[in-house]
Amino acid sequence: MEMIISPSILAADFNILGEQIQEVKRSGAKYLHIDVMDGMFVPSISFGMPVISSIRKQSDLFFDVHLMIVEPLRYVEEFARIGADLITFHLEAAEGQVEETINRIHQAGCKAGISIKPATPVEALLPWLGKVDLILIMTVEPGFGGQKYIPASTEKIRETRRLLTERGLSTDIEVDGGITADHISLVTEAGANVIVAGSAVFRGSITENVHRLLGQRQ
Ligand code: DX5
Ligand code: ZN
């Protein structure tokens, strides 16, 4: 599977967000990871609709929107309308509404992703395999950038890929949190193919960092 880098703008310099997104595009990354936090599902609050619709006007990158909000169903159509390409919501935040959330994301014309926190077992995903386009395994506790990769995540990625393969599915597996160029091969070898990176992209030169993550020479 082709490896895709999805730089997380949570780590960007918001004074020059537009310029940095253009550099992300030039660097060869295909996705842009957009973390929406509501201060309820996670302790922090990031940014929401006005920021996304504004950057959509200047960028044709694939908008990978990661909703860390309670009852994501409430906002599916809104995020689709302002330009999300993929909407990923948390299983833990959508109790009793998972199927409807997936269906509404698809009806709105977007790809649907489902995410689990570090403490949620992979088995909780079983009913939804084959219904979503992407599975996001959180490799840190959601809420903040710049944390350390949780080593137990590797086994969860491997297990998820195994469950998918057993069912003849080639669903994307995304990983998010604490990924650096030093151990990116650990997660790709375990079966992840969409790699979120915040600090590892925006700290220093975006172009050099993306190339390093992609395993290219500068
Ligand atoms: C954490 C967010 C991540 C974060 C990753 O809750 O979902 O997308 O920006 O940042 P790094 O790569 O710095 O861990
Ligand atoms: Zn994220």
Side-chain angles (χ1 to χ4, degrees), residues 8 10 33 35 37 66 68 138 142-146 176-178 196-199:
S8 168
L10 194 63
H33 188 80
D35 287 307
M37 304 179 182
H66 177 195
M68 284 164 274
M138 285 308 299
F144 301 96
D176 182 7
V196 177
S199 339

Side-chain angles (χ1 to χ4, degrees), residues 8 47 58 118 133-134 155 160 164 168 178 188 214:
S8 168
F47 46 76
Q58 299 287 332
D133 305 288
L134 174 143
E155 206 38 54
T160 306
L164 288 168
T188 54
L214 285 168

Side-chain angles (χ1 to χ4, degrees), residues 106-122:
H106 283 148
Q107 281 158 18
C110 294
K111 289 198 166 176
I114 193 165
S115 181
I116 54 170
K117 299 205 276 187
T120 304
V122 164

Side-chain angles (χ1 to χ4, degrees), residues 19 57 134 151 174 212 216:
E19 287 165 38
K57 293 189 195 118
L134 174 143
E174 182 173 49
R212 197 173 302 126
Q216 296 166 0

Side-chain angles (χ1 to χ4, degrees), residues 75-152:
Y75 296 109
V76 165
E77 284 77 15
E78 180 77 353
F79 282 107
R81 191 182 62 76
I82 62 175
D85 293 298
L86 160 70
I87 299 177
T88 299
F89 65 97
H90 271 266
L91 178 66
E92 305 89 352
E95 219 179 301
Q97 297 185 319
V98 175
E99 182 146 29
E100 196 183 348
T101 308
I102 296 168
N103 290 342
R104 292 254 298 268
I105 294 172
H106 283 148
Q107 281 158 18
C110 294
K111 289 198 166 176
I114 193 165
S115 181
I116 54 170
K117 299 205 276 187
T120 304
V122 164
E123 289 67 39
L125 294 168
L126 282 172
W128 317 112
L129 301 179
K131 302 210 161 127
V132 289
D133 305 288
L134 174 143
I135 291 167
L136 168 54
I137 307 284
M138 285 308 299
T139 49
V140 297
E141 206 55 59
F144 301 96
Q147 302 180 74
K148 266 211 158 63
Y149 179 84
I150 298 174

